[in-house]
Amino acid sequence: MSPDTEIRSVVLAGVGGQGILLASEILARTAMETGYDVKTNEVHGMAQRGGSVIAQIRYGPEVHSPLVAKKTAAVLGALEQVEAMRFADYLSPGGLAVVSSQAIMPVTVSMEAARYPEDIEAKLKRAFPRMVYIRAAEMASGLGDIRTANIVVLGAISKGLDLQQDAWKEAISSCVKEKFREINLRAFELGRHIE
Amino acid sequence: MKHLMSGNEAIARGAYEAGVTIGAGYPGTPSTEILENLAKYKPEVYCEWSPNEKVAFEVAAGASIAGARSIVTMKHVGLNVAADPLMTLSYISVEGGFVACVADDPGMHSSQNEQDTRNYARYAKVPLFEPSDSQEAKDFLKLAISISERYKTPAILRSTTRVGHSRSLVSWDERVASPNKVGLVKNPPRFVPIPVWGRPMRQRVEERLGLLKREAEASPANRIERRDSSLGIVTASISYQYVREVWPDASVLKLGFSYPFPDDLIREFASGVDEVLVVEELDDILEQHIKSLGIACQGRKFVSGMMELSVDRLLASRALMEGREPPKEEPPLFYDELPPRPPVLCPGCPHRGVFYALGKHDVVVTGDIGCYSLGAFKPLDRMDTILCMGAGVSMAHGMQKAGEPKRVIGVVGDSTFFHSGITGLLNIAYNRGSSTIIVLDNRTTAMTGHQDHPGTGRTLQGDVTRAISIEDIGRACGIERVCVVNPYDLESTLKAIDDDVNSDEPSLIVSRAPCPLRERRRVGAVREIDADRCKGCKICLKIACPAIELSADKPQINEIFCGGCGICEQICPAEAIYAQGAASQAEARK
């Protein structure tokens, strides 16, 4: 009954258009290159038009469900702070949360139908004892392309997962176009070396 | 070497390996990527987006009757559109292997209902295959092609959102070309179901079902996994994967070739366990059938038939079944302070202009299926009904005829217009209707990920072709009042709607501007709000543009997101919105 402890589950969350699917694919390929069975799930269609997006990745000796059960994710990676809060329930007690400080206002907030929460960092810190809170968007902009914020977060996530460093690099190289390879590899290194 | 593939990619790979040469379909989440991936196996496989699922089904059926192996792809509701050819293709039988790949959407992630396609297999008396991961998606497609060809029956491969959109590892095989020669072998008693020949066909369908049942009994796609004998679970599709995690010790009858039901296998399985539980998503088809065999089993009592299953939900089912308190459903963390983030029309979306203009009219708007369904949400709030593809056109006419006191405007997308809006328009002209129909022509099938259609001038496999004119079709249907508007120009869009709703004639407005997401560029210059001029009236927030953010008292435009459409500039009463940099220029001119 207890979830198989040999299975690693990862949840990536963000807003449609932030590159969640690419990050998910890179992670899955890395697990595959490392020799694990792997399953992922991503949401397409209606959910991608600026809505919340979640990708789920599971790897281990033999994976059945592609979906992550609540409170079982070893790592939660969020490209937007409110989305970290939205999917907080997936993280296992003691799991690693990597949260980008980026704030993207939902239209519900701009319409004044809802409020964007305040003091998110402090709230997340209380919920996630192991949290890395990073300025991924600024770091990516510093590299020259804000769109690599997803890979910065992936780099920070990689420290919480037992996957081979070479496999990460190979997966990044095979998932992005040649002309973006260099900047994405740099974004990954930047994220991986955050203390 | 294994490949990480989504279920949909794997179905396409299976079709390629099985020697399929023809693929047709209509885009629909969660099925779209099947045909998009099969199309990459050009030139061995010819693939096309047809205008709708019925046409696609018939294209594949024609290919099959001529001897080719073919598949047709669609989402679950698409099979309603293609149900007519399905029911009779079952009678006239196929020649080359023919598989309808139909994707269900339990949980309604991107659909208007959660109907269960397994009912159609029974209804049409055709074999049904249900993969539970990507390897099976590939293997079962090939199995379905071979069963279809051997028994000359159409087959259905039913996937679900979680099968089609999950990735897992797949081993590949070489493609084996079909040995069939293409060329219709003339045989009217086989292919023409007029009653005199149709009645014997009816007989043959029944005989075929018996043979298929024998095939299912022995199929490697159906297997018994003997573990602890106190509980035996009958399951199929993605539910199998959840069952393995929630009941790792239970015996399992896993069905992959699930219709006709393998009754002997079910009996054999049930006789070896103390208790039988059926775990299936949506309808209780297996449970009811197993009960009809006189086998006691549980299912719906513990496992819900509404919305998709999950490990979490089945853990609750297990607790309930074992008489334990189900795990408490705690409210999610932060639940009371999370701002909802619903999907919205993208920044720069041309539909926004039309919905804004419709908001200025006291009319009823019958809507349709596509990105523009998002126009139903506040603050745009300008869509009153959605039924199914094409209904935005036909229902407008019905309301008008019923005497709806307000004028009724039907709104339909370009791809949806070609799919099933044309006949509704024809009906308005023929039956002396007076509705106004607006085609939101963004030059693509946007919601499903930008597929081509008869209006785009390109085919699925990248060939240039004739771009069919929506205006010409409107005129040919008998609509005389036809105009084209640029939805980014609010004044002319408002005027066109104004003129048409005040006319007694039926009319067609084509709102034409390409989807900026497809074009991969901004519509115009990035806009900014001059904070000094802004009076904080927040009218610009009424168009639900994700680029306009309200963080302090006054709205601001997020320059990363801005699509440059300029609609906010046109509605700002304080004239505080400019193209980036233009505000200071205006100031300098003063």
Side-chain angles (χ1 to χ4, degrees):
Chain A
M1 251 215 52
S2 60
D4 192 341
T5 47
E6 293 182 331
I7 305 286
R8 290 253 178 231
S9 296
V10 179
V11 169
L12 299 177
V15 178
Q18 282 194 297
I20 295 283
L21 300 193
L22 175 65
S24 159
E25 188 174 348
I26 291 170
L27 206 171
R29 281 190 182 278
T30 307
M32 183 176 93
E33 298 290 339
T34 309
Y36 288 116
D37 185 23
V38 57
K39 286 188 177 173
T40 74
N41 184 268
E42 297 120 17
V43 173
H44 299 229
M46 186 72 128
Q48 269 182 292
R49 293 286 174 268
S52 293
V53 174
I54 169 175
Q56 314 182 47
I57 304 100
R58 306 186 74 216
Y59 64 86
E62 190 190 8
V63 181
H64 290 295
S65 169
L67 303 183
V68 177
K70 297 278 164 67
K71 294 184 181 165
T72 65
V75 176
L76 167 67
L79 293 172
E80 203 274 353
Q81 338 174 46
V82 152
E83 298 314 311
M85 296 171 76
R86 198 182 308 282
F87 297 105
D89 289 340
Y90 284 95
L91 194 64
S92 63
L96 171 71
V98 176
V99 180
S100 164
S101 61
Q102 198 175 359
I104 300 175
M105 292 298 139
V107 282
T108 51
V109 171
S110 297
M111 282 161 49
E112 303 184 289
R115 289 177 41 162
Y116 199 84
E118 286 165 6
D119 307 321
I120 295 185
E121 186 179 356
K123 283 172 183 162
L124 289 174
K125 208 155 234 154
R126 280 197 291 278
F128 306 136
R130 284 180 65 209
M131 178 171 76
V132 181
Y133 187 78
I134 56 175
R135 303 173 72 78
E138 287 84 346
M139 293 165 81
S141 296
L143 284 175
D145 192 343
I146 189 170
R147 287 174 300 175
T148 59
N150 57 346
I151 309 301
V152 175
V153 168
L154 206 56
I157 283 175
S158 71
K159 288 207 296 189
L161 298 170
D162 45 357
L163 296 172
Q164 296 159 6
Q165 171 82 353
D166 291 352
W168 281 108
K169 290 187 173 161
E170 249 170 69
I172 292 169
S173 299
S174 70
C175 289
V176 303
K177 286 203 185 105
E178 172 116 40
K179 64 173 172 174
F180 300 117
R181 201 163 286 168
E182 196 48 44
I183 190 168
N184 278 293
L185 287 170
R186 272 163 52 210
F188 183 81
E189 283 303 317
L190 205 57
R192 194 170 170 93
H193 290 100
I194 289 171
E195 287 311 311
Chain B
M1 151 119 189
K2 291 201 172 190
H3 302 262
L4 183 64
M5 302 181 96
S6 71
N8 284 345
E9 289 173 302
I11 292 171
R13 177 71 200 182
Y16 170 75
E17 290 180 5
V20 163
T21 56
I22 299 284
Y26 183 78
T29 311
S31 73
T32 313
E33 302 83 8
I34 303 173
L35 207 58
E36 284 183 324
N37 281 287
L38 187 58
K40 293 176 187 164
Y41 296 106
K42 182 185 172 180
E44 292 101 317
V45 189
Y46 167 80
C47 285
E48 67 170 43
W49 290 126
S50 305
N52 67 33
E53 295 86 355
K54 177 180 187 292
V55 173
F57 196 105
E58 292 156 355
V59 166
S64 161
I65 285 172
R69 290 176 180 165
S70 64
I71 70 165
V72 58
T73 72
M74 63 198 75
K75 67 184 294 177
H76 59 328
V77 286
L79 190 54
N80 301 331
V81 179
D84 199 358
L86 167 68
M87 299 307 288
T88 303
L89 186 63
S90 172
Y91 278 37
I92 70 177
S93 76
V94 304
E95 190 57 34
F98 173 100
V99 181
C101 303
V102 186
D104 284 3
D105 190 16
M108 300 167 68
H109 297 276
S110 314
S111 309
Q112 65 270 41
N113 73 27
E114 61 171 6
Q115 67 186 53
D116 189 332
T117 291
R118 296 179 299 161
N119 290 294
Y120 270 114
R122 257 180 99 163
Y123 194 16
K125 304 179 192 297
V126 299
L128 174 70
F129 299 86
E130 293 185 81
S132 71
D133 63 17
S134 299
Q135 183 69 54
E136 285 187 351
K138 194 200 82 163
D139 294 346
F140 288 4
L141 189 284
K142 293 168 80 174
L143 177 64
I145 286 281
S146 90
I147 294 285
S148 162
E149 197 161 289
R150 188 141 27 109
Y151 294 94
K152 302 203 182 305
T153 173
I156 295 176
L157 183 91
R158 181 234 190 197
S159 61
T160 68
T161 302
R162 299 305 188 179
V163 174
H165 285 171
S166 291
R167 292 170 196 265
S168 57
L169 303 182
V170 179
S171 359
W172 288 4
D173 299 300
E174 293 295 309
R175 173 175 168 94
V176 179
S178 163
N180 305 350
K181 254 203 355 234
V182 173
L184 178 75
V185 181
K186 194 174 161 66
N187 185 357
R190 182 173 161 202
F191 296 124
V192 182
I194 53 173
V196 62
W197 291 324
R199 290 186 195 106
M201 289 179 195
R202 173 74 189 85
Q203 194 64 41
R204 288 198 293 273
V205 166
E206 219 57 32
E207 289 160 10
R208 185 183 72 202
L209 265 184
L211 297 174
L212 286 168
K213 193 180 210 58
R214 288 228 302 265
E215 196 69 46
E217 298 281 11
S219 174
N222 295 328
R223 65 166 185 263
I224 292 175
E225 299 174 2
R226 288 269 178 227
R227 282 180 280 269
D228 183 32
S229 64
S230 60
L231 178 67
I233 299 176
V234 184
T235 187
S237 189
I238 193 71
S239 305
Y240 166 78
Q241 306 294 354
Y242 307 148
V243 163
R244 291 291 291 113
E245 298 206 2
V246 175
W247 287 274
D249 303 325
S251 294
V252 171
L253 170 57
K254 187 206 178 286
L255 298 178
F257 182 169
S258 49
Y259 186 81
F261 304 109
D263 293 342
D264 291 342
L265 194 68
I266 293 169
R267 286 193 187 93
E268 181 195 332
F269 177 68
S271 67
V273 294
D274 303 339
E275 212 180 339
V276 177
L277 174 70
V278 181
V279 178
E280 58 191 323
E281 273 181 326
L282 306 186
D283 295 342
D284 53 355
I285 294 174
L286 284 171
E287 180 187 354
Q288 292 304 328
H289 179 73
I290 292 170
K291 283 181 171 158
S292 80
L293 296 175
I295 298 169
C297 68
Q298 297 291 359
R300 192 48 39 85
K301 187 174 167 194
F302 301 115
V303 181
S304 169
M306 266 194 291
M307 300 296 138
E308 65 176 338
L309 299 179
S310 65
V311 165
D312 287 316
R313 289 185 85 192
L314 289 178
L315 282 171
S317 300
R318 178 169 177 175
L320 206 65
M321 208 179 152
E322 293 171 356
R324 290 180 288 117
E325 193 74 14
K328 258 228 183 75
E329 264 209 42
E330 295 166 37
L333 279 168
F334 306 119
Y335 143 88
D336 50 353
E337 52 178 328
L338 281 176
R341 195 188 296 275
V344 285
L345 294 177
C346 305
C349 177
H351 303 336
R352 186 170 279 112
V354 172
F355 286 118
Y356 178 80
L358 284 170
K360 299 285 171 198
H361 291 86
D362 186 23
V363 291
V364 172
V365 180
T366 54
D368 221 298
I369 313 252
C371 285
Y372 49 96
S373 301
L374 299 170
F377 292 144
K378 279 182 177 164
L380 292 170
D381 191 19
R382 219 50 209 101
M383 188 168 285
D384 299 304
T385 67
I386 290 179
L387 178 59
C388 61
M389 297 279 285
V393 181
S394 333
M395 280 175 51
H397 176 71
M399 276 194 192
Q400 204 96 63
K401 287 287 176 188
E404 163 60 44
K406 292 180 185 168
R407 289 289 305 221
V408 186
I409 297 185
V411 166
V412 63
D414 44 344
S415 189
T416 309
F417 177 77
F418 290 114
H419 180 284
S420 48
I422 299 171
T423 40
L425 195 65
L426 182 67
N427 187 49
I428 291 170
Y430 167 51
N431 282 309
R432 304 160 57 96
S434 56
S435 310
T436 294
I437 302 302
I438 303 177
V439 179
L440 298 171
D441 181 11
N442 62 357
R443 317 299 295 154
T444 186
T445 315
M447 181 56 101
T448 45
H450 300 115
Q451 289 75 31
D452 281 295
H453 64 58
T456 65
R458 277 171 70 92
T459 68
L460 168 58
Q461 289 184 309
D463 295 317
V464 172
T465 184
R466 176 190 294 259
I468 314 296
S469 154
I470 294 170
E471 307 88 278
D472 286 353
I473 290 179
R475 289 188 199 99
C477 284
I479 306 291
E480 288 173 1
R481 207 182 162 89
V482 177
C483 72
V484 179
V485 299
N486 170 6
Y488 296 123
D489 179 348
L490 288 183
E491 199 179 317
S492 65
T493 303
L494 272 164
K495 183 170 183 319
I497 295 175
D498 237 16
D499 288 352
D500 281 4
V501 295
N502 289 314
S503 152
D504 295 332
E505 254 186 291
S507 56
L508 176 68
I509 299 173
V510 182
S511 159
R512 179 164 296 144
C515 171
L517 219 60
R518 158 116 201 191
E519 304 285 300
R520 293 175 173 278
R521 61 184 163 83
R522 291 201 161 96
V523 183
V526 168
R527 298 308 202 270
E528 63 185 359
I529 300 178
D530 180 342
D532 294 337
R533 281 184 159 240
C534 175
K535 297 194 164 61
C537 70
K538 299 176 187 170
I539 282 177
C540 56
L541 296 172
K542 297 241 154 56
I543 53 175
C545 177
I548 309 180
E549 297 176 348
L550 181 71
S551 32
D553 285 354
K554 291 179 176 178
Q556 285 181 328
I557 294 176
N558 183 328
E559 64 176 323
I560 295 165
F561 295 143
C562 176
C565 70
I567 290 177
C568 55
E569 181 179 334
Q570 294 172 61
I571 63 169
C572 175
E575 296 184 14
I577 304 180
Y578 296 90
Q580 220 169 37
S584 48
Q585 286 165 23
E587 209 57 42
R589 274 198 300 274
K590 270 187 197 159

